[in-house]
Amino acid sequence: MATAPAGVSAPSLKELTLRGVILGGLITLLFTAANVYLGLKLGITFATSIPAAVISMAILKFFSGSTIQENNIVQTIASAAGTLSAIIFVLPGLIMIGYWTHFPYWLSVAVIGLGGILGVMYSVPLRRALVTGSDLPYPEGVAAAEVLKVGAGVGGEEENKRGLVAIVWAALVSGGFFMLTKTRLIVDTAGKTFKVGAGASGVTASLSMALIGVGHLVGMAVGIAMLVGIIISWAWLMPSLTVSGIAAGTGIEDVIGDIFVHKVRFIGAGTMLVAALWTLAKVIGPIIKGIMQALAANRARAGGQELELTERDLPITVVGGTILASMIPIGLLLAGIARSGAVADHALPLVALSLGYIMIAGLIIASITGYMAGLIGASNSPVSGVGILTALGISLILLGLFQGAGPAATESLVAFALLVTAVIFGVATIANDNLQDLKTGQLVGATPWRQQVALIIGVVFGALVIPPILDLLNSAFGFVGAPGAGPDALNAPQAALISSITQGVLGGSLDWGLLKQGALIGIVIVAIDEVLKKVSDKKYSLPPLAVGMGMYLPMEVDLFIPLGALLGWYYDRWARQSANPAFAERLGTLMATGLIVGESLMGVAYAALVAAASGAGKEDSAGVIALFKEAPSFAMPLAMALFALGVGALYVWTKGRAAVPLPDGDTRADEIAAVR
């Protein structure tokens, strides 16, 4: 008979429901619009899983018979569509290079949808390899599951009450601090630049309590690895690479910003490439095993054997057939692009090689981004770095085919490469987020195939919604660097970077030395990691991919993840010595979850306010709730003090709540901990 994880009811018929699909679609519209706007303006997007889960629970509780699994389906649909909005890191590049003047609706829908569906299909065998068959932390997947469990009342009455209060208080503090930064009474980033010998460097941190929560959930190994990456970039590379700029008399901040974007980030991409390939080599065995298990499950099902509900994926024959069938419309799409350009005479080999690249690179990229999401969470996973590597791969293939091509052919090849990158980027973004969703599903006893169907529904919703939003923003603002862009043009930083890299490879201007330097660093880190694990019997490690991410991501994005990991380590060490270790540790997890929940929800609210102000023609739309035109001089020290006070108070308060004994027979924390 089918069983569910301990502490969670078995999946009922009310899992994949019409009302859940409709609710997921409505949330998708809101979150996708917010993500597209923020991503194009600021270069950041937010994970939608947890906010969607919170909204779903708040609405479905008014309907009879709602279940934790139904809420999970809603957040799965919304998160799939929300994460697919990261396609904005590629598609605007076609506007920037002058190939498109607008976003053709059905062509854009096809590129986004086909890439997303491939991402879902590649995620099916990866579930067994990277979710059920690994010990990756999946911080956001665990956080979403904890939110759903508390909402569904899993555990004793007093335990649930304390857990809910922990989430709410942490969310209020985190969300309140986030919104306070938007008033400009306090800043949202603290930093200082300084000279180091003949060069320069700096220390910058985003005052984001969500990053503390992520760090708490990912643990010390990942936190230390990211710190090592930060040190490599900012204590070694930055001082040495800024010498010439400082000597030329350029301002320190300008030099640092330019060197990071155009040099350090490329070195970090080289390190990530080596780390990603090494990671793939290590997980290829579990991936193959997962495929074999999926085939065995398919044979068992065909033979009449009943599988546990929590082990029922989409049949592997359906997965393989869908992947192969998707190549037909993708091939037709690419052929149409190739035949309309200066490389029309070589359209057939061009399309054939590109399809092979999409199939092979798709699986590799899905594995890498899925692993990264499991390591540090979907929100902080550097998917744009994977986009860079994807663009490099297809650009090198095209360079080999069309060596010495003229300017007209090069322009067509750049556009073709960006479209291939966009398809694979859809795979990357979906695998990055969906394995988090599948982890949540595992923890709440969801049926995998239903969740995988929900992922496809979410992809379709996202593909239909994203192009008109892109077209609207392009018409209203344009993109920096694009022909005819106005003074209020959106930055679209990742799209600008990826398109410039593609042009650099095909035009012969890319600095390969930076990538080689990063690759050498990656090789050294891999060797250190292997030695550490061997001499400590796998007790200690230095995850190479996390080091690469620490190098590649801006310091303000990743500096507080190691701090959160340290705080989480201290808290968990105390929890293990407490009277009720399982409950105390879970309460800490719920508090960390609340830090992510609060900032995520306020991020959605703020994005809506910015979009409304922008639509109303407000000049400073980003300052829609600002009390000052510029942050006052006391804003930074006040922000740092309030941040430290808020985080410190939450940890002290959580320890106090965890130390109070629960009534006898009231806790099921041991069962819940077993699920995790």
Side-chain angles (χ1 to χ4, degrees):
M1 182 176 174
T3 59
V8 179
S9 60
S12 71
L13 292 176
K14 285 195 175 177
E15 186 171 358
L16 183 59
T17 62
L18 178 60
R19 69 188 183 191
V21 170
I22 293 172
L23 180 56
L26 293 174
I27 297 174
T28 288
L29 181 62
L30 170 66
F31 285 2
T32 301
N35 252 344
V36 168
Y37 181 80
L38 284 181
L40 291 173
K41 186 175 180 67
L42 306 175
I44 60 172
T45 57
F46 56 88
T48 54
S49 296
I50 293 173
V54 173
I55 294 173
S56 173
M57 288 189 300
I59 294 174
L60 287 182
K61 72 177 183 179
F62 293 106
F63 295 85
S64 62
S66 64
T67 65
I68 189 173
Q69 292 82 19
E70 187 180 18
N71 280 305
N72 180 55
I73 288 292
V74 174
Q75 70 87 14
T76 297
I77 292 172
S79 69
T83 194
L84 201 58
S85 61
I87 197 69
I88 60 172
F89 294 167
V90 181
L91 278 188
L94 291 161
I95 303 283
M96 293 174 171
I97 65 172
Y99 187 77
W100 281 354
T101 57
H102 70 288
F103 295 92
Y105 182 73
W106 289 112
L107 179 57
S108 301
V109 168
V111 170
I112 298 169
L114 289 168
I117 289 171
L118 279 177
V120 175
M121 293 301 110
Y122 281 129
S123 297
V124 173
L126 291 177
R127 184 188 73 84
R128 295 176 183 271
L130 297 179
V131 177
T132 61
S134 82
D135 57 357
L136 291 169
Y138 286 100
E140 289 166 359
V142 171
E146 293 291 354
V147 170
L148 290 170
K149 287 176 185 176
V150 170
V154 176
E157 182 179 348
E158 177 62 21
E159 181 184 355
N160 285 333
K161 180 181 176 182
R162 290 192 204 175
L164 182 60
V165 170
I167 291 177
V168 169
W169 270 113
L172 287 173
V173 172
S174 174
F177 184 88
F178 173 85
M179 293 303 281
L180 190 60
T181 65
K182 302 309 175 187
T183 67
R184 295 180 184 158
L185 177 66
I186 60 174
V187 297
D188 58 4
T189 305
K192 184 173 179 60
T193 56
F194 44 82
K195 293 192 70 175
V196 179
S201 188
V203 176
T204 312
S206 174
L207 298 175
S208 163
M209 294 190 183
L211 293 178
I212 297 293
V214 168
H216 182 118
L217 296 174
V218 299
M220 279 295 284
V222 174
I224 290 173
M226 294 192 74
L227 183 60
V228 169
I230 293 169
I231 292 171
I232 290 173
S233 284
W234 292 90
W236 172 33
L237 295 175
M238 187 63 74
S240 62
L241 293 172
T242 51
V243 172
S244 59
I246 297 297
T250 310
I252 289 181
E253 290 187 6
D254 292 335
V255 171
I256 287 175
D258 181 71
I259 291 297
F260 179 77
V261 171
H262 294 106
K263 291 190 176 182
V264 173
R265 204 162 196 179
F266 280 95
I267 296 172
T271 302
M272 282 180 58
L273 175 59
V274 169
L277 292 175
W278 181 251
T279 299
L280 179 67
K282 300 196 74 172
V283 302
I284 194 68
I287 290 171
I288 293 173
K289 183 180 178 182
I291 294 172
M292 294 298 104
Q293 289 174 339
L295 288 169
N298 196 54
R299 288 193 298 269
R301 184 156 29 191
Q305 181 179 338
E306 184 177 355
L307 299 174
E308 290 189 0
L309 288 175
T310 52
E311 288 300 317
R312 296 181 188 176
D313 290 291
L314 285 174
I316 196 67
T317 50
V318 172
V319 171
T322 303
I323 291 173
L324 292 174
S326 298
M327 294 300 120
I328 298 173
I330 292 174
L332 293 173
L333 184 154
L334 294 178
I337 300 297
R339 287 174 183 155
S340 64
V343 293
D345 293 341
H346 305 279
L348 185 59
L350 188 59
V351 171
L353 277 171
S354 298
L355 289 178
Y357 179 72
I358 287 170
M359 287 192 67
I360 296 170
L363 178 58
I364 294 172
I365 294 300
S367 304
I368 292 169
T369 54
Y371 188 90
M372 289 193 301
L375 203 61
I376 65 165
S379 298
N380 304 289
S381 179
V383 179
S384 58
V386 176
I388 289 173
L389 301 178
T390 303
L392 278 173
I394 187 60
S395 298
L396 287 172
I397 292 173
L398 297 181
L399 184 64
L401 283 174
F402 299 94
Q403 191 74 40
T410 299
E411 182 181 344
S412 296
L413 290 173
V414 169
F416 188 89
L418 287 176
L419 280 169
V420 172
T421 301
V423 172
I424 299 177
F425 203 80
V427 175
T429 59
I430 288 298
N432 180 60
D433 182 75
N434 287 354
L435 287 172
Q436 290 279 2
D437 292 335
L438 291 170
K439 181 64 177 182
T440 301
Q442 179 201 18
L443 296 177
V444 301
T447 311
W449 76 261
R450 289 192 175 101
Q451 201 167 2
Q452 289 150 6
V453 169
L455 298 176
I456 295 172
I457 294 171
V459 165
V460 172
F461 281 151
L464 293 172
V465 166
I466 292 170
I469 298 173
L470 280 172
D471 230 13
L472 177 65
L473 293 174
N474 180 45
S475 300
F477 306 107
F479 305 115
V480 172
D488 297 323
L490 299 168
N491 289 316
Q494 289 88 345
L497 179 61
I498 290 173
S499 58
S500 66
I501 287 170
T502 306
Q503 290 174 312
V505 173
L506 294 169
S509 60
L510 185 66
D511 187 350
W512 290 99
L514 298 174
L515 291 171
K516 290 178 182 177
Q517 185 178 350
L520 289 174
I521 294 172
I523 291 170
V524 172
I525 297 298
V526 165
I528 293 173
D529 178 52
E530 290 301 309
V531 170
L532 264 178
K533 287 190 286 193
K534 186 172 182 179
V535 299
S536 67
D537 195 22
K538 297 186 177 181
K539 183 179 179 181
Y540 301 111
S541 64
L542 188 71
L545 203 51
V547 175
M549 288 187 283
M551 294 173 61
Y552 174 84
L553 291 170
M555 187 192 290
E556 62 263 26
V557 174
D558 56 9
L559 183 60
F560 275 4
I561 293 179
L563 176 59
L566 180 64
L567 291 172
W569 178 77
Y570 271 115
Y571 178 88
D572 287 344
R573 189 176 69 166
W574 168 84
R576 286 191 291 271
Q577 299 169 353
S578 66
N580 193 337
F583 170 67
E585 189 172 343
R586 183 179 181 235
L587 203 62
T589 298
L590 290 169
M591 185 275 293
T593 297
L595 293 177
I596 301 172
V597 169
E599 189 166 316
S600 298
L601 288 174
M602 289 301 102
V604 175
Y606 178 67
L609 291 173
V610 170
S614 177
K618 184 177 174 65
E619 183 177 347
D620 182 18
S621 58
V624 62
I625 61 171
L627 301 176
F628 303 92
K629 189 171 184 179
E630 298 289 340
S633 58
F634 60 79
M636 185 182 294
L638 179 60
M640 295 172 67
L642 289 177
F643 186 89
L645 179 64
V647 172
L650 281 172
Y651 270 99
V652 171
W653 177 81
T654 303
K655 285 178 66 175
R657 295 291 291 169
V660 177
L662 290 166
D664 291 340
D666 188 66
T667 181
R668 291 168 66 188
D670 291 324
E671 295 179 16
I672 295 165
V675 178
R676 298 174 52 208

